[in-house]
Amino acid sequence: MSSSLDKLKALTSRLEDELEEKGKVDLSVSTPVKEEKVNVQVTEEKVEDAVAKVVINTPSPKAERNCDNVREDNILRVKQLYEKLKIFEKSPDFENIFMYKAMNLSGIGLKDDDFGAVRDGKYIQIIAITYEPDKNGKKKAKNISLGYFGKAETLEVVLKNKIIEFVLRWRYEKAFQNVEHYKDLIARVEVSKEEITTLF
């Protein structure tokens, strides 16, 4: 009877290991196996082998997309919207649209309380913001219209959604650029591994 139980335990263990590698099961929520008393001699080698087989439960690569892929997909979509919304008429070089400091919408709400709401009587525009020195050398904000889409009342829902998506995806790419910038700055600060482990 005990050899059958051992075989069952071994089979269960192998299946759990294979499923864990595929990222499909969380071993902390496994079905309990009916146990009988079994005499097992534990040696130091067996413990070391068992410890070596412990794998930190991380999401599978398929489940968790690489940050770079997300960024590439986002830029591709921004480029598609750049062409569909004819932003190239006001900003002919696609790469230059990320040189602006900020981007807003006129006539459509982007805050939580009015997200996607069109403001009657307003004109819909994508506004890029840049800072240029004035005649005294002081930086001053300058608004540049990248796209004009008419009055809010006449705006089609599909077009409105593309306009909102363009601005949000542009901001998303700017966020990636900011993260990159701070990663570079942090990398310039020399911190030993010993200090890092003592920080927390």
Side-chain angles (χ1 to χ4, degrees):
M1 180 78 169
S2 68
S3 68
S4 297
L5 182 60
D6 290 341
K7 287 180 183 178
L8 181 60
K9 284 183 180 179
L11 179 61
T12 303
S13 178
R14 279 199 320 252
L15 286 172
E16 285 180 342
D17 288 345
E18 287 178 18
L19 288 173
E20 183 179 354
E21 285 177 19
K22 291 181 181 178
K24 292 183 179 177
V25 81
D26 182 5
L27 292 178
S28 63
V29 188
S30 61
T31 309
V33 176
K34 185 178 178 182
E35 293 186 27
E36 292 182 21
K37 284 190 177 181
V38 178
N39 290 331
V40 178
Q41 235 178 352
V42 178
T43 64
E44 200 171 308
E45 291 173 351
K46 286 183 180 179
V47 172
E48 287 175 5
D49 288 344
V51 170
K53 288 182 182 178
V54 172
V55 178
I56 296 171
N57 190 11
T58 56
S60 68
K62 290 180 185 176
E64 184 179 308
R65 294 192 59 204
N66 185 332
C67 194
D68 292 334
N69 292 341
V70 171
R71 186 174 182 185
E72 287 171 14
D73 291 348
N74 185 60
I75 289 176
L76 286 173
R77 184 63 180 150
V78 171
K79 190 164 191 166
Q80 290 172 349
L81 292 166
Y82 167 85
E83 292 166 3
K84 285 180 183 178
L85 297 172
K86 299 182 180 179
I87 305 295
F88 59 83
E89 291 177 357
K90 300 278 181 115
S91 183
D93 186 5
F94 176 73
E95 297 302 318
N96 284 343
I97 66 165
F98 297 110
M99 301 306 274
Y100 300 116
K101 296 294 179 190
M103 193 169 292
N104 284 322
L105 279 177
S106 170
I108 301 174
L110 289 179
K111 294 179 183 172
D112 285 339
D113 58 341
D114 69 344
F115 187 82
V118 262
R119 299 181 182 117
D120 291 336
K122 298 284 184 180
Y123 292 95
I124 308 300
Q125 291 185 75
I126 296 174
I127 308 289
I129 300 161
T130 186
Y131 292 95
E132 295 180 359
D134 64 8
K135 60 184 177 188
N136 298 325
K138 187 178 177 184
K139 284 188 176 182
K140 194 169 184 173
K142 180 179 177 185
N143 292 348
I144 301 166
S145 175
L146 294 182
Y148 172 76
F149 303 95
K151 279 206 156 201
E153 298 84 17
T154 62
L155 188 66
E156 294 176 12
V157 175
V158 174
L159 179 58
K160 177 187 80 167
N161 290 341
K162 287 179 182 174
I163 294 167
I164 292 170
E165 183 183 3
F166 176 79
V167 172
L168 294 179
R169 286 187 178 277
W170 181 91
R171 290 178 178 181
Y172 195 30
E173 170 56 23
K174 287 298 274 188
F176 276 116
Q177 290 178 5
N178 286 334
V179 167
E180 224 172 58
H181 171 70
Y182 284 102
K183 278 169 107 176
D184 292 343
L185 290 178
I186 290 169
R188 291 170 58 185
V189 178
E190 291 185 30
V191 179
S192 71
K193 288 183 181 179
E194 192 175 288
E195 286 178 300
I196 291 172
T197 58
T198 59
L199 288 175
F200 304 103

